Amino acid sequence: MSDVALDDRGRLTLPKEVRERYGDRYRVVQLPDGVKLVPVADDSLEALRDEFADVEKSADELREEAREAALDEAGQ
């Protein structure tokens, strides 16, 4: 873990090893106890494809399963 500080213009410089590992774009998420930097992929669609490469069901099948699970959880 590294300590970083804002400059006089409010900019934050991340350490080189962090930028090399996670990239140059981040989403700032405000949490009750602080903030979190979440890396943003250069190509979001490609990142999604990589993340779900091992999923064998179609989007429609996944949507229907999620719908059924939500209905079961709601008691319907």
Short mmCIF file of all heavy atoms in Angstrom, two decimals:
data_model
loop_
_atom_site.label_atom_id
_atom_site.label_comp_id
_atom_site.label_asym_id
_atom_site.label_seq_id
_atom_site.Cartn_x
_atom_site.Cartn_y
_atom_site.Cartn_z
N MET A 1 0.85 -1.16 0.00
CA MET A 1 0.00 0.00 0.00
C MET A 1 0.90 1.23 0.00
O MET A 1 1.94 1.25 0.64
CB MET A 1 -0.91 0.00 1.22
CG MET A 1 -1.81 1.18 1.21
SD MET A 1 -3.21 1.30 2.35
CE MET A 1 -3.06 0.07 3.54
N SER A 2 0.47 2.27 -0.74
CA SER A 2 1.24 3.49 -0.84
C SER A 2 0.41 4.67 -0.35
O SER A 2 -0.80 4.71 -0.54
CB SER A 2 1.63 3.75 -2.29
OG SER A 2 2.37 2.69 -2.81
N ASP A 3 1.08 5.61 0.26
CA ASP A 3 0.41 6.86 0.62
C ASP A 3 0.60 7.83 -0.53
O ASP A 3 1.69 7.94 -1.11
CB ASP A 3 1.03 7.46 1.88
CG ASP A 3 0.68 6.68 3.13
OD1 ASP A 3 -0.30 5.92 3.09
OD2 ASP A 3 1.39 6.83 4.13
N VAL A 4 -0.47 8.53 -0.89
CA VAL A 4 -0.40 9.56 -1.93
C VAL A 4 -1.09 10.81 -1.40
O VAL A 4 -1.90 10.74 -0.47
CB VAL A 4 -1.06 9.09 -3.26
CG1 VAL A 4 -0.30 7.93 -3.86
CG2 VAL A 4 -2.50 8.71 -3.04
N ALA A 5 -0.79 11.93 -2.00
CA ALA A 5 -1.38 13.19 -1.56
C ALA A 5 -1.85 13.98 -2.78
O ALA A 5 -1.31 13.82 -3.89
CB ALA A 5 -0.37 14.00 -0.77
N LEU A 6 -2.85 14.80 -2.56
CA LEU A 6 -3.32 15.69 -3.62
C LEU A 6 -2.36 16.86 -3.77
O LEU A 6 -1.80 17.34 -2.80
CB LEU A 6 -4.71 16.23 -3.27
CG LEU A 6 -5.83 15.20 -3.12
CD1 LEU A 6 -7.10 15.88 -2.66
CD2 LEU A 6 -6.07 14.46 -4.41
N ASP A 7 -2.20 17.33 -5.02
CA ASP A 7 -1.38 18.52 -5.21
C ASP A 7 -2.24 19.76 -5.01
O ASP A 7 -3.41 19.66 -4.64
CB ASP A 7 -0.68 18.50 -6.57
CG ASP A 7 -1.62 18.64 -7.76
OD1 ASP A 7 -2.82 18.94 -7.56
OD2 ASP A 7 -1.16 18.46 -8.90
N ASP A 8 -1.68 20.94 -5.22
CA ASP A 8 -2.41 22.17 -4.96
C ASP A 8 -3.60 22.38 -5.89
O ASP A 8 -4.46 23.22 -5.62
CB ASP A 8 -1.47 23.38 -5.00
CG ASP A 8 -0.77 23.54 -6.34
OD1 ASP A 8 -0.72 22.57 -7.11
OD2 ASP A 8 -0.26 24.64 -6.60
N ARG A 9 -3.69 21.61 -6.97
CA ARG A 9 -4.82 21.70 -7.88
C ARG A 9 -5.82 20.56 -7.67
O ARG A 9 -6.75 20.38 -8.43
CB ARG A 9 -4.32 21.69 -9.33
CG ARG A 9 -3.53 22.96 -9.65
CD ARG A 9 -3.03 22.99 -11.05
NE ARG A 9 -4.13 22.96 -12.00
CZ ARG A 9 -3.97 22.77 -13.29
NH1 ARG A 9 -2.76 22.59 -13.79
NH2 ARG A 9 -5.01 22.75 -14.10
N GLY A 10 -5.61 19.75 -6.62
CA GLY A 10 -6.53 18.65 -6.32
C GLY A 10 -6.28 17.39 -7.10
O GLY A 10 -7.11 16.49 -7.11
N ARG A 11 -5.14 17.28 -7.74
CA ARG A 11 -4.82 16.09 -8.54
C ARG A 11 -4.10 15.06 -7.68
O ARG A 11 -3.32 15.39 -6.80
CB ARG A 11 -3.96 16.48 -9.73
CG ARG A 11 -4.70 17.36 -10.72
CD ARG A 11 -3.81 17.79 -11.82
NE ARG A 11 -2.72 18.60 -11.27
CZ ARG A 11 -1.89 19.31 -12.01
NH1 ARG A 11 -1.97 19.31 -13.32
NH2 ARG A 11 -0.94 20.03 -11.43
N LEU A 12 -4.37 13.81 -8.01
CA LEU A 12 -3.78 12.68 -7.31
C LEU A 12 -2.91 11.92 -8.30
O LEU A 12 -3.38 11.58 -9.39
CB LEU A 12 -4.90 11.78 -6.78
CG LEU A 12 -4.50 10.53 -6.03
CD1 LEU A 12 -3.97 10.90 -4.65
CD2 LEU A 12 -5.72 9.63 -5.88
N THR A 13 -1.68 11.65 -7.94
CA THR A 13 -0.80 10.86 -8.80
C THR A 13 -0.64 9.49 -8.18
O THR A 13 -0.17 9.36 -7.04
CB THR A 13 0.57 11.53 -8.95
OG1 THR A 13 0.37 12.83 -9.50
CG2 THR A 13 1.46 10.72 -9.88
N LEU A 14 -1.05 8.47 -8.93
CA LEU A 14 -0.92 7.09 -8.45
C LEU A 14 0.48 6.58 -8.74
O LEU A 14 1.08 6.92 -9.76
CB LEU A 14 -1.95 6.20 -9.14
CG LEU A 14 -3.41 6.53 -8.85
CD1 LEU A 14 -4.31 5.64 -9.68
CD2 LEU A 14 -3.72 6.39 -7.38
N PRO A 15 1.00 5.72 -7.88
CA PRO A 15 2.32 5.15 -8.12
C PRO A 15 2.36 4.37 -9.45
O PRO A 15 1.35 3.81 -9.89
CB PRO A 15 2.52 4.20 -6.94
CG PRO A 15 1.60 4.71 -5.88
CD PRO A 15 0.43 5.29 -6.61
N LYS A 16 3.52 4.35 -10.05
CA LYS A 16 3.70 3.71 -11.35
C LYS A 16 3.25 2.25 -11.34
O LYS A 16 2.59 1.80 -12.26
CB LYS A 16 5.18 3.80 -11.77
CG LYS A 16 5.45 3.19 -13.11
CD LYS A 16 6.91 3.33 -13.48
CE LYS A 16 7.18 2.68 -14.83
NZ LYS A 16 8.59 2.78 -15.18
N GLU A 17 3.57 1.52 -10.27
CA GLU A 17 3.21 0.10 -10.24
C GLU A 17 1.69 -0.08 -10.22
O GLU A 17 1.16 -1.05 -10.77
CB GLU A 17 3.86 -0.63 -9.06
CG GLU A 17 3.55 -0.08 -7.70
CD GLU A 17 4.48 1.02 -7.23
OE1 GLU A 17 5.31 1.52 -8.02
OE2 GLU A 17 4.37 1.39 -6.05
N VAL A 18 0.96 0.85 -9.62
CA VAL A 18 -0.51 0.78 -9.62
C VAL A 18 -1.04 1.05 -11.03
O VAL A 18 -1.90 0.32 -11.54
CB VAL A 18 -1.11 1.79 -8.61
CG1 VAL A 18 -2.62 1.86 -8.75
CG2 VAL A 18 -0.72 1.41 -7.20
N ARG A 19 -0.52 2.08 -11.69
CA ARG A 19 -0.95 2.41 -13.06
C ARG A 19 -0.64 1.27 -14.02
O ARG A 19 -1.43 0.96 -14.90
CB ARG A 19 -0.29 3.70 -13.51
CG ARG A 19 -0.74 4.92 -12.72
CD ARG A 19 -0.24 6.22 -13.33
NE ARG A 19 1.14 6.21 -13.77
CZ ARG A 19 2.18 6.61 -13.05
NH1 ARG A 19 1.99 7.06 -11.82
NH2 ARG A 19 3.40 6.59 -13.55
N GLU A 20 0.53 0.65 -13.85
CA GLU A 20 0.90 -0.46 -14.74
C GLU A 20 -0.01 -1.66 -14.55
O GLU A 20 -0.33 -2.36 -15.50
CB GLU A 20 2.36 -0.86 -14.51
CG GLU A 20 3.34 0.15 -15.05
CD GLU A 20 4.78 -0.19 -14.72
OE1 GLU A 20 5.02 -1.06 -13.85
OE2 GLU A 20 5.67 0.42 -15.34
N ARG A 21 -0.43 -1.89 -13.32
CA ARG A 21 -1.27 -3.05 -13.05
C ARG A 21 -2.74 -2.83 -13.42
O ARG A 21 -3.39 -3.71 -13.97
CB ARG A 21 -1.17 -3.42 -11.57
CG ARG A 21 -1.98 -4.64 -11.22
CD ARG A 21 -1.73 -5.09 -9.81
NE ARG A 21 -2.52 -6.26 -9.52
CZ ARG A 21 -2.53 -6.87 -8.37
NH1 ARG A 21 -1.77 -6.44 -7.39
NH2 ARG A 21 -3.29 -7.92 -8.17
N TYR A 22 -3.27 -1.63 -13.13
CA TYR A 22 -4.70 -1.38 -13.28
C TYR A 22 -5.07 -0.41 -14.39
O TYR A 22 -6.25 -0.26 -14.71
CB TYR A 22 -5.29 -0.86 -11.96
CG TYR A 22 -5.15 -1.85 -10.84
CD1 TYR A 22 -4.22 -1.66 -9.83
CD2 TYR A 22 -5.95 -2.98 -10.78
CE1 TYR A 22 -4.08 -2.56 -8.79
CE2 TYR A 22 -5.82 -3.90 -9.75
CZ TYR A 22 -4.88 -3.68 -8.76
OH TYR A 22 -4.76 -4.58 -7.74
N GLY A 23 -4.12 0.27 -14.97
CA GLY A 23 -4.42 1.20 -16.05
C GLY A 23 -4.49 2.65 -15.59
O GLY A 23 -4.14 2.98 -14.45
N ASP A 24 -4.96 3.51 -16.48
CA ASP A 24 -4.94 4.94 -16.24
C ASP A 24 -6.31 5.56 -15.98
O ASP A 24 -6.41 6.76 -15.74
CB ASP A 24 -4.32 5.66 -17.45
CG ASP A 24 -2.85 5.31 -17.63
OD1 ASP A 24 -2.18 5.08 -16.63
OD2 ASP A 24 -2.40 5.28 -18.79
N ARG A 25 -7.38 4.78 -16.05
CA ARG A 25 -8.72 5.33 -15.86
C ARG A 25 -9.40 4.64 -14.68
O ARG A 25 -9.37 3.42 -14.57
CB ARG A 25 -9.56 5.13 -17.12
CG ARG A 25 -9.00 5.91 -18.31
CD ARG A 25 -9.85 5.78 -19.55
NE ARG A 25 -11.19 6.28 -19.26
CZ ARG A 25 -12.30 5.72 -19.74
NH1 ARG A 25 -12.24 4.68 -20.52
NH2 ARG A 25 -13.47 6.23 -19.45
N TYR A 26 -10.03 5.45 -13.81
CA TYR A 26 -10.67 4.93 -12.60
C TYR A 26 -11.99 5.64 -12.37
O TYR A 26 -12.17 6.80 -12.72
CB TYR A 26 -9.77 5.17 -11.36
CG TYR A 26 -8.46 4.44 -11.46
CD1 TYR A 26 -7.40 4.98 -12.17
CD2 TYR A 26 -8.30 3.20 -10.88
CE1 TYR A 26 -6.20 4.31 -12.28
CE2 TYR A 26 -7.11 2.52 -10.99
CZ TYR A 26 -6.06 3.07 -11.69
OH TYR A 26 -4.88 2.40 -11.81
N ARG A 27 -12.90 4.94 -11.76
CA ARG A 27 -14.15 5.54 -11.30
C ARG A 27 -13.98 5.75 -9.80
O ARG A 27 -13.51 4.86 -9.08
CB ARG A 27 -15.33 4.60 -11.57
CG ARG A 27 -16.66 5.18 -11.16
CD ARG A 27 -17.81 4.39 -11.70
NE ARG A 27 -17.70 3.96 -13.07
CZ ARG A 27 -18.05 4.71 -14.14
NH1 ARG A 27 -18.52 5.90 -13.96
NH2 ARG A 27 -17.93 4.23 -15.35
N VAL A 28 -14.36 6.93 -9.33
CA VAL A 28 -14.28 7.24 -7.91
C VAL A 28 -15.62 6.89 -7.28
O VAL A 28 -16.66 7.40 -7.68
CB VAL A 28 -13.96 8.73 -7.67
CG1 VAL A 28 -13.95 9.04 -6.18
CG2 VAL A 28 -12.62 9.08 -8.31
N VAL A 29 -15.59 5.97 -6.32
CA VAL A 29 -16.81 5.53 -5.64
C VAL A 29 -16.75 6.04 -4.20
O VAL A 29 -15.79 5.78 -3.47
CB VAL A 29 -16.92 3.98 -5.63
CG1 VAL A 29 -18.17 3.53 -4.91
CG2 VAL A 29 -16.88 3.45 -7.06
N GLN A 30 -17.78 6.81 -3.83
CA GLN A 30 -17.84 7.33 -2.47
C GLN A 30 -18.50 6.30 -1.57
O GLN A 30 -19.59 5.82 -1.85
CB GLN A 30 -18.63 8.63 -2.44
CG GLN A 30 -17.97 9.74 -3.21
CD GLN A 30 -18.77 11.03 -3.17
OE1 GLN A 30 -19.66 11.20 -2.36
NE2 GLN A 30 -18.42 11.93 -4.06
N LEU A 31 -17.83 5.96 -0.47
CA LEU A 31 -18.32 5.02 0.52
C LEU A 31 -18.54 5.78 1.83
O LEU A 31 -18.01 6.87 2.00
CB LEU A 31 -17.30 3.90 0.72
CG LEU A 31 -16.93 3.11 -0.53
CD1 LEU A 31 -15.76 2.18 -0.25
CD2 LEU A 31 -18.12 2.34 -1.04
N PRO A 32 -19.31 5.21 2.76
CA PRO A 32 -19.54 5.90 4.03
C PRO A 32 -18.26 6.24 4.79
O PRO A 32 -18.19 7.25 5.47
CB PRO A 32 -20.40 4.91 4.82
CG PRO A 32 -21.04 4.05 3.80
CD PRO A 32 -20.06 3.96 2.66
N ASP A 33 -17.24 5.40 4.63
CA ASP A 33 -16.01 5.61 5.40
C ASP A 33 -14.81 6.03 4.54
O ASP A 33 -13.68 5.98 5.00
CB ASP A 33 -15.67 4.35 6.19
CG ASP A 33 -15.46 3.15 5.29
OD1 ASP A 33 -15.86 3.20 4.11
OD2 ASP A 33 -14.89 2.15 5.76
N GLY A 34 -15.04 6.43 3.29
CA GLY A 34 -13.92 6.85 2.44
C GLY A 34 -14.29 6.79 0.97
O GLY A 34 -15.46 6.85 0.61
N VAL A 35 -13.27 6.66 0.15
CA VAL A 35 -13.48 6.54 -1.29
C VAL A 35 -12.73 5.32 -1.80
O VAL A 35 -11.79 4.84 -1.17
CB VAL A 35 -13.01 7.79 -2.06
CG1 VAL A 35 -13.82 9.01 -1.70
CG2 VAL A 35 -11.54 8.05 -1.85
N LYS A 36 -13.17 4.84 -2.95
CA LYS A 36 -12.54 3.69 -3.58
C LYS A 36 -12.32 4.02 -5.04
O LYS A 36 -13.20 4.59 -5.69
CB LYS A 36 -13.45 2.46 -3.45
CG LYS A 36 -12.89 1.21 -4.07
CD LYS A 36 -13.81 0.03 -3.84
CE LYS A 36 -13.23 -1.24 -4.43
NZ LYS A 36 -14.06 -2.40 -4.16
N LEU A 37 -11.16 3.68 -5.57
CA LEU A 37 -10.88 3.84 -6.98
C LEU A 37 -11.10 2.49 -7.66
O LEU A 37 -10.48 1.49 -7.28
CB LEU A 37 -9.43 4.29 -7.21
CG LEU A 37 -9.05 5.65 -6.67
CD1 LEU A 37 -7.56 5.91 -6.90
CD2 LEU A 37 -9.88 6.74 -7.29
N VAL A 38 -11.98 2.47 -8.65
CA VAL A 38 -12.28 1.24 -9.37
C VAL A 38 -11.76 1.40 -10.80
O VAL A 38 -12.17 2.33 -11.50
CB VAL A 38 -13.80 0.97 -9.39
CG1 VAL A 38 -14.10 -0.30 -10.16
CG2 VAL A 38 -14.35 0.90 -7.98
N PRO A 39 -10.85 0.54 -11.24
CA PRO A 39 -10.32 0.66 -12.60
C PRO A 39 -11.44 0.55 -13.64
O PRO A 39 -12.36 -0.25 -13.50
CB PRO A 39 -9.36 -0.53 -12.73
CG PRO A 39 -9.05 -0.93 -11.33
CD PRO A 39 -10.26 -0.59 -10.51
N VAL A 40 -11.34 1.37 -14.67
CA VAL A 40 -12.29 1.36 -15.78
C VAL A 40 -11.53 0.85 -17.00
O VAL A 40 -10.48 1.39 -17.36
CB VAL A 40 -12.84 2.77 -16.06
CG1 VAL A 40 -13.74 2.77 -17.28
CG2 VAL A 40 -13.58 3.30 -14.85
N ALA A 41 -12.07 -0.19 -17.63
CA ALA A 41 -11.41 -0.77 -18.80
C ALA A 41 -11.47 0.18 -19.98
O ALA A 41 -12.45 0.92 -20.15
CB ALA A 41 -12.08 -2.09 -19.17
N ASP A 42 -10.44 0.18 -20.80
CA ASP A 42 -10.44 1.00 -22.02
C ASP A 42 -11.56 0.57 -22.95
O ASP A 42 -12.22 1.39 -23.57
CB ASP A 42 -9.10 0.91 -22.74
CG ASP A 42 -7.98 1.60 -21.96
OD1 ASP A 42 -8.29 2.56 -21.22
OD2 ASP A 42 -6.83 1.18 -22.10
N ASP A 43 -11.77 -0.72 -23.04
CA ASP A 43 -12.85 -1.27 -23.88
C ASP A 43 -13.78 -2.06 -22.97
O ASP A 43 -13.55 -3.23 -22.68
CB ASP A 43 -12.26 -2.17 -24.97
CG ASP A 43 -13.31 -2.71 -25.94
OD1 ASP A 43 -14.52 -2.56 -25.66
OD2 ASP A 43 -12.92 -3.28 -26.96
N SER A 44 -14.85 -1.41 -22.53
CA SER A 44 -15.77 -2.03 -21.57
C SER A 44 -16.39 -3.30 -22.10
O SER A 44 -16.56 -4.28 -21.37
CB SER A 44 -16.87 -1.04 -21.19
OG SER A 44 -16.30 0.09 -20.59
N LEU A 45 -16.76 -3.31 -23.37
CA LEU A 45 -17.39 -4.49 -23.95
C LEU A 45 -16.42 -5.67 -23.96
O LEU A 45 -16.79 -6.80 -23.61
CB LEU A 45 -17.88 -4.19 -25.37
CG LEU A 45 -18.71 -5.25 -26.04
CD1 LEU A 45 -19.92 -5.65 -25.19
CD2 LEU A 45 -19.18 -4.78 -27.39
N GLU A 46 -15.19 -5.41 -24.30
CA GLU A 46 -14.19 -6.48 -24.30
C GLU A 46 -13.95 -7.00 -22.88
O GLU A 46 -13.80 -8.20 -22.66
CB GLU A 46 -12.87 -5.98 -24.90
CG GLU A 46 -11.82 -7.06 -25.07
CD GLU A 46 -12.24 -8.16 -26.04
OE1 GLU A 46 -12.98 -7.89 -27.00
OE2 GLU A 46 -11.83 -9.32 -25.82
N ALA A 47 -13.95 -6.11 -21.91
CA ALA A 47 -13.78 -6.52 -20.51
C ALA A 47 -14.92 -7.41 -20.07
O ALA A 47 -14.72 -8.40 -19.37
CB ALA A 47 -13.68 -5.28 -19.62
N LEU A 48 -16.15 -7.08 -20.48
CA LEU A 48 -17.30 -7.93 -20.14
C LEU A 48 -17.19 -9.29 -20.80
O LEU A 48 -17.49 -10.31 -20.19
CB LEU A 48 -18.60 -7.25 -20.57
CG LEU A 48 -19.10 -6.14 -19.68
CD1 LEU A 48 -20.28 -5.43 -20.32
CD2 LEU A 48 -19.48 -6.67 -18.32
N ARG A 49 -16.77 -9.30 -22.05
CA ARG A 49 -16.61 -10.58 -22.75
C ARG A 49 -15.58 -11.46 -22.04
O ARG A 49 -15.78 -12.66 -21.88
CB ARG A 49 -16.19 -10.34 -24.20
CG ARG A 49 -17.31 -9.85 -25.07
CD ARG A 49 -16.86 -9.72 -26.51
NE ARG A 49 -17.95 -9.26 -27.33
CZ ARG A 49 -17.87 -8.25 -28.18
NH1 ARG A 49 -16.74 -7.59 -28.34
NH2 ARG A 49 -18.91 -7.89 -28.89
N ASP A 50 -14.48 -10.85 -21.62
CA ASP A 50 -13.44 -11.60 -20.90
C ASP A 50 -13.98 -12.13 -19.57
O ASP A 50 -13.72 -13.26 -19.19
CB ASP A 50 -12.21 -10.73 -20.65
CG ASP A 50 -11.44 -10.40 -21.92
OD1 ASP A 50 -11.67 -11.08 -22.94
OD2 ASP A 50 -10.63 -9.47 -21.88
N GLU A 51 -14.72 -11.29 -18.86
CA GLU A 51 -15.24 -11.65 -17.55
C GLU A 51 -16.21 -12.82 -17.62
O GLU A 51 -16.26 -13.68 -16.76
CB GLU A 51 -15.93 -10.44 -16.91
CG GLU A 51 -16.40 -10.66 -15.51
CD GLU A 51 -15.29 -10.82 -14.50
OE1 GLU A 51 -14.18 -10.28 -14.70
OE2 GLU A 51 -15.52 -11.52 -13.49
N PHE A 52 -17.02 -12.87 -18.68
CA PHE A 52 -18.05 -13.89 -18.81
C PHE A 52 -17.75 -14.92 -19.89
O PHE A 52 -18.65 -15.60 -20.38
CB PHE A 52 -19.41 -13.22 -19.07
CG PHE A 52 -19.88 -12.39 -17.91
CD1 PHE A 52 -19.74 -11.02 -17.91
CD2 PHE A 52 -20.43 -13.01 -16.79
CE1 PHE A 52 -20.16 -10.25 -16.84
CE2 PHE A 52 -20.84 -12.26 -15.71
CZ PHE A 52 -20.70 -10.88 -15.73
N ALA A 53 -16.48 -15.08 -20.23
CA ALA A 53 -16.09 -15.99 -21.30
C ALA A 53 -16.49 -17.44 -21.00
O ALA A 53 -16.80 -18.20 -21.91
CB ALA A 53 -14.58 -15.91 -21.54
N ASP A 54 -16.53 -17.82 -19.73
CA ASP A 54 -16.84 -19.20 -19.37
C ASP A 54 -18.33 -19.45 -19.15
O ASP A 54 -18.74 -20.56 -18.83
CB ASP A 54 -16.06 -19.62 -18.13
CG ASP A 54 -16.38 -18.77 -16.92
OD1 ASP A 54 -16.90 -17.65 -17.10
OD2 ASP A 54 -16.09 -19.21 -15.80
N VAL A 55 -19.17 -18.43 -19.34
CA VAL A 55 -20.61 -18.59 -19.17
C VAL A 55 -21.18 -19.17 -20.46
O VAL A 55 -20.98 -18.64 -21.54
CB VAL A 55 -21.29 -17.22 -18.86
CG1 VAL A 55 -22.80 -17.39 -18.80
CG2 VAL A 55 -20.75 -16.67 -17.56
N GLU A 56 -21.89 -20.29 -20.32
CA GLU A 56 -22.39 -20.99 -21.50
C GLU A 56 -23.85 -20.67 -21.81
O GLU A 56 -24.35 -21.06 -22.86
CB GLU A 56 -22.20 -22.49 -21.30
CG GLU A 56 -20.73 -22.88 -21.19
CD GLU A 56 -20.54 -24.36 -20.95
OE1 GLU A 56 -21.52 -25.11 -20.99
OE2 GLU A 56 -19.38 -24.75 -20.71
N LYS A 57 -24.53 -19.96 -20.92
CA LYS A 57 -25.94 -19.65 -21.14
C LYS A 57 -26.08 -18.35 -21.90
O LYS A 57 -25.21 -17.48 -21.85
CB LYS A 57 -26.66 -19.53 -19.80
CG LYS A 57 -26.67 -20.83 -19.03
CD LYS A 57 -27.36 -20.68 -17.71
CE LYS A 57 -27.32 -22.01 -16.96
NZ LYS A 57 -27.94 -21.91 -15.67
N SER A 58 -27.22 -18.21 -22.59
CA SER A 58 -27.49 -16.98 -23.32
C SER A 58 -27.95 -15.89 -22.35
O SER A 58 -28.32 -16.16 -21.21
CB SER A 58 -28.57 -17.21 -24.37
OG SER A 58 -29.83 -17.39 -23.73
N ALA A 59 -27.95 -14.66 -22.81
CA ALA A 59 -28.42 -13.54 -21.99
C ALA A 59 -29.88 -13.75 -21.60
O ALA A 59 -30.28 -13.44 -20.48
CB ALA A 59 -28.24 -12.22 -22.74
N ASP A 60 -30.68 -14.27 -22.52
CA ASP A 60 -32.09 -14.52 -22.22
C ASP A 60 -32.25 -15.56 -21.11
O ASP A 60 -33.09 -15.41 -20.22
CB ASP A 60 -32.85 -14.97 -23.47
CG ASP A 60 -33.05 -13.84 -24.47
OD1 ASP A 60 -33.04 -12.66 -24.05
OD2 ASP A 60 -33.21 -14.13 -25.66
N GLU A 61 -31.44 -16.61 -21.16
CA GLU A 61 -31.49 -17.65 -20.13
C GLU A 61 -31.07 -17.09 -18.77
O GLU A 61 -31.71 -17.35 -17.75
CB GLU A 61 -30.59 -18.83 -20.51
CG GLU A 61 -31.10 -19.64 -21.68
CD GLU A 61 -30.07 -20.65 -22.17
OE1 GLU A 61 -28.87 -20.33 -22.20
OE2 GLU A 61 -30.49 -21.77 -22.51
N LEU A 62 -30.01 -16.28 -18.76
CA LEU A 62 -29.55 -15.67 -17.52
C LEU A 62 -30.60 -14.71 -16.96
O LEU A 62 -30.86 -14.68 -15.75
CB LEU A 62 -28.24 -14.94 -17.74
CG LEU A 62 -27.03 -15.82 -18.07
CD1 LEU A 62 -25.85 -14.97 -18.49
CD2 LEU A 62 -26.67 -16.69 -16.89
N ARG A 63 -31.21 -13.94 -17.84
CA ARG A 63 -32.26 -12.99 -17.42
C ARG A 63 -33.44 -13.73 -16.80
O ARG A 63 -33.97 -13.34 -15.77
CB ARG A 63 -32.70 -12.16 -18.62
CG ARG A 63 -33.65 -11.03 -18.26
CD ARG A 63 -34.05 -10.19 -19.47
NE ARG A 63 -32.90 -9.59 -20.11
CZ ARG A 63 -32.43 -9.91 -21.32
NH1 ARG A 63 -33.05 -10.82 -22.05
NH2 ARG A 63 -31.37 -9.32 -21.82
N GLU A 64 -33.86 -14.82 -17.43
CA GLU A 64 -34.99 -15.59 -16.92
C GLU A 64 -34.66 -16.22 -15.57
O GLU A 64 -35.49 -16.22 -14.65
CB GLU A 64 -35.41 -16.67 -17.92
CG GLU A 64 -36.61 -17.49 -17.52
CD GLU A 64 -37.88 -16.66 -17.29
OE1 GLU A 64 -38.02 -15.58 -17.91
OE2 GLU A 64 -38.74 -17.08 -16.49
N GLU A 65 -33.45 -16.75 -15.41
CA GLU A 65 -33.04 -17.31 -14.12
C GLU A 65 -33.04 -16.24 -13.04
O GLU A 65 -33.47 -16.49 -11.90
CB GLU A 65 -31.65 -17.94 -14.24
CG GLU A 65 -31.65 -19.29 -14.92
CD GLU A 65 -30.27 -19.92 -14.94
OE1 GLU A 65 -29.36 -19.44 -14.23
OE2 GLU A 65 -30.11 -20.91 -15.66
N ALA A 66 -32.54 -15.05 -13.37
CA ALA A 66 -32.51 -13.95 -12.39
C ALA A 66 -33.93 -13.54 -12.02
O ALA A 66 -34.22 -13.27 -10.85
CB ALA A 66 -31.74 -12.77 -12.96
N ARG A 67 -34.82 -13.51 -13.00
CA ARG A 67 -36.22 -13.16 -12.75
C ARG A 67 -36.86 -14.17 -11.82
O ARG A 67 -37.54 -13.81 -10.85
CB ARG A 67 -36.98 -13.08 -14.07
CG ARG A 67 -38.42 -12.69 -13.94
CD ARG A 67 -39.09 -12.66 -15.33
NE ARG A 67 -40.49 -12.41 -15.24
CZ ARG A 67 -41.40 -13.32 -14.89
NH1 ARG A 67 -41.05 -14.55 -14.65
NH2 ARG A 67 -42.68 -13.00 -14.81
N GLU A 68 -36.65 -15.44 -12.10
CA GLU A 68 -37.23 -16.51 -11.27
C GLU A 68 -36.66 -16.45 -9.85
O GLU A 68 -37.40 -16.62 -8.87
CB GLU A 68 -36.96 -17.87 -11.90
CG GLU A 68 -37.77 -18.12 -13.17
CD GLU A 68 -37.38 -19.40 -13.88
OE1 GLU A 68 -36.56 -20.19 -13.34
OE2 GLU A 68 -37.90 -19.63 -15.00
N ALA A 69 -35.37 -16.20 -9.72
CA ALA A 69 -34.75 -16.11 -8.40
C ALA A 69 -35.32 -14.92 -7.63
O ALA A 69 -35.58 -15.03 -6.43
CB ALA A 69 -33.23 -15.99 -8.54
N ALA A 70 -35.52 -13.79 -8.31
CA ALA A 70 -36.09 -12.61 -7.64
C ALA A 70 -37.52 -12.89 -7.19
O ALA A 70 -37.91 -12.49 -6.08
CB ALA A 70 -36.03 -11.41 -8.58
N LEU A 71 -38.30 -13.57 -8.03
CA LEU A 71 -39.68 -13.90 -7.65
C LEU A 71 -39.69 -14.86 -6.48
O LEU A 71 -40.51 -14.72 -5.56
CB LEU A 71 -40.43 -14.48 -8.85
CG LEU A 71 -40.79 -13.48 -9.95
CD1 LEU A 71 -41.38 -14.22 -11.15
CD2 LEU A 71 -41.75 -12.42 -9.43
N ASP A 72 -38.81 -15.86 -6.48
CA ASP A 72 -38.73 -16.80 -5.36
C ASP A 72 -38.36 -16.06 -4.07
O ASP A 72 -38.93 -16.33 -3.02
CB ASP A 72 -37.67 -17.89 -5.64
CG ASP A 72 -38.15 -18.90 -6.67
OD1 ASP A 72 -39.37 -18.93 -6.96
OD2 ASP A 72 -37.29 -19.65 -7.18
N GLU A 73 -37.41 -15.15 -4.18
CA GLU A 73 -36.98 -14.42 -3.00
C GLU A 73 -38.09 -13.50 -2.47
O GLU A 73 -38.22 -13.31 -1.27
CB GLU A 73 -35.75 -13.56 -3.36
CG GLU A 73 -35.05 -12.97 -2.17
CD GLU A 73 -33.76 -12.30 -2.55
OE1 GLU A 73 -32.94 -12.93 -3.26
OE2 GLU A 73 -33.56 -11.15 -2.14
N ALA A 74 -38.90 -13.00 -3.40
CA ALA A 74 -40.03 -12.14 -2.98
C ALA A 74 -41.21 -12.96 -2.49
O ALA A 74 -42.21 -12.40 -2.01
CB ALA A 74 -40.46 -11.26 -4.15
N GLY A 75 -41.13 -14.27 -2.62
CA GLY A 75 -42.20 -15.15 -2.14
C GLY A 75 -43.37 -15.27 -3.09
O GLY A 75 -44.49 -15.52 -2.67
N GLN A 76 -43.11 -15.11 -4.36
CA GLN A 76 -44.21 -15.21 -5.33
C GLN A 76 -44.02 -16.42 -6.22
O GLN A 76 -43.04 -16.87 -6.55
CB GLN A 76 -44.28 -13.96 -6.20
CG GLN A 76 -44.63 -12.75 -5.37
CD GLN A 76 -44.77 -11.51 -6.25
OE1 GLN A 76 -44.47 -11.53 -7.43
NE2 GLN A 76 -45.25 -10.45 -5.66
#
